[in-house]
Amino acid sequence: MYQIEISSKKGFKDVHGEHTLSEISGLGIKQVEKVSYSQVYEIHGEINPAQANEIAEELLSDKITEKPLVKKIETGGSRSAVNSKLSVIEVWYKKGVTDTVSESVAKAVKDLGIKEEIKVKTGHKYYLYGNLSQKILNTIATKLLANTLIQEYKIK
Amino acid sequence: MKKVKVLILRTAGTNCDYETQAAFELCGAFAERVHINALIENKNKIFEYDILAFPGGFSYGDDIASGKILANEIKNKLGDKVKKFALSGRPIIGICNGFQVLVKMGLLPDSKLFKQVSTLSYNDSDKFECRWVYLKTVRNEELGVRNLNTAEIKCLWSRNLPDIITLPVAHGEGKFIPESKSLLESLNKSNQIVFRYCDKNGLQPQYPLDPNGSMRQIAGISNDKGNVFGLMPHPERYVYALQHPSRESFNGEHGWGKVIFQNAVDYVK
């Protein structure tokens, strides 16, 4: 399984991150100093590293403004470590909820000429900078970032 | 008189195809909406047409990024045909989502290169922006030409327009960004920038008249030959005065969008 994370290249405006920071401020939470946003795709299937890179570079990222990070995940558990001033909130669809973007990605991967059957899961990753308590992170996740009826979130 | 044939390419999520068809038909063309699957089944069908239009909408739900999945599909399944069509000099227009498709498959700004070298990214506001805007018709800036002399306008679609027109925009990803400053200068020098957002006096606009933060307020560009044209505003939504909030018209009946479509139809005739 590959995890492909798409984020803004240095020098380009991270509009989703900035917008999220503004919305957090609108909740009355002032401790967050900065937010960076990434779109995340998990690709399950028998594809090789070259194909994963091709999907990341040709399809999932914008060549001009975005950079992809491709990681092979063996157990589905390894994530990058965080420091005390950085918290990460991931938002994913709950099991059983239709992920329409994943269906589009699977179609587009076939259009790229990759014939292997794949399954895709899409999610969002928010990097929040500041000294944030678990309570604040839960508030941000439940009031802003995740629709808990259909999405689950993980705080890291 | 020859009946000009227009292919309006549609797919899942396209929603401006009927209006685009109506705009071309108003200008005397025969316009047909063709689903991409039908064109993939019969690729040479494209050459039965004189003009190719990529209409607005939300192709494939704007998934991944607006226009990306359709651009990827066209490039991989119809790329050689679409490129040949463009290099033959026949007019091609991409409106809003269609512009995003042209840029992301690389038919704009360099149809010969056919590689993505610019993008239409998220609006600076991170919101869907929907309003009427002013557009400055860019003429050959090096020569300082400021008249309606069509010979000085490279893009065949933007001839016969005054310095400032109005059209509506409706998009979430319309911020034009080239890959480098040198490309931006090259677009300027080769007169490929067709429209810039402006205020009502033609001066540099502020948000919300600048709806997305595009570099140098770029709203529309063409290829070097001037036959392939893409723009974020919707000319098909202003072909009649009735469509304008103040019923403005240049001839008592029509809006500026009609001039754009008429230019291409007349060019083919």
Side-chain angles (χ1 to χ4, degrees), chain A residues 50-65:
Chain A
Q51 289 171 321
N53 281 320
E54 185 185 2
I55 292 167
E57 285 164 18
E58 296 299 321
L59 190 65
L60 300 180
S61 62
D62 187 287
K63 289 177 187 299
I64 313 300
T65 60

Side-chain angles (χ1 to χ4, degrees), chain B residues 175-186:
Chain B
K175 178 176 178 171
F176 181 80
I177 306 175
E179 68 174 359
S180 64
K181 279 187 180 170
S182 60
L183 174 60
L184 187 60
E185 294 317 317
S186 152

Side-chain angles (χ1 to χ4, degrees), chain A residues 119-146:
Chain A
K119 285 196 173 164
V120 183
K121 215 176 140 187
T122 70
H124 310 273
K125 211 165 174 179
Y126 301 86
Y127 295 86
L128 293 91
Y129 297 83
N131 287 315
L132 306 171
S133 67
Q134 196 69 21
K135 189 180 168 192
I136 287 176
L137 291 167
N138 272 315
T139 303
I140 292 169
T142 54
K143 286 197 183 295
L144 190 66
L145 303 181

Side-chain angles (χ1 to χ4, degrees), chain B residues 161-207:
Chain B
L161 289 170
D163 272 353
I164 301 169
I165 64 168
T166 57
L167 286 177
V169 291
H171 59 255
E173 298 176 40
K175 178 176 178 171
F176 181 80
I177 306 175
E179 68 174 359
S180 64
K181 279 187 180 170
S182 60
L183 174 60
L184 187 60
E185 294 317 317
S186 152
L187 292 176
N188 254 325
K189 276 190 180 164
S190 57
N191 206 20
Q192 287 177 248
I193 297 170
V194 179
F195 289 126
R196 295 184 201 274
Y197 301 105
C198 65
D199 69 10
K200 65 179 178 181
N201 299 312
L203 302 174
Q204 189 165 328
Q206 300 296 315
Y207 178 83

Side-chain angles (χ1 to χ4, degrees), chain B residues 4 27 261-269:
Chain B
V4 176
C27 299
F261 294 105
Q262 194 71 61
N263 281 334
V265 173
D266 291 349
Y267 174 84
V268 173
K269 278 180 181 169

Side-chain angles (χ1 to χ4, degrees), chain A residues 16 19 62 104 107-108 111, chain B residues 63 68 72-73 77 119 126:
Chain A
H16 297 325
H19 191 199
D62 187 287
S104 298
K107 173 229 167 357
D111 289 345
Chain B
D63 294 345
K68 182 69 188 182
N72 178 62
E73 184 174 21
K77 296 191 169 176
T119 195
D126 198 25

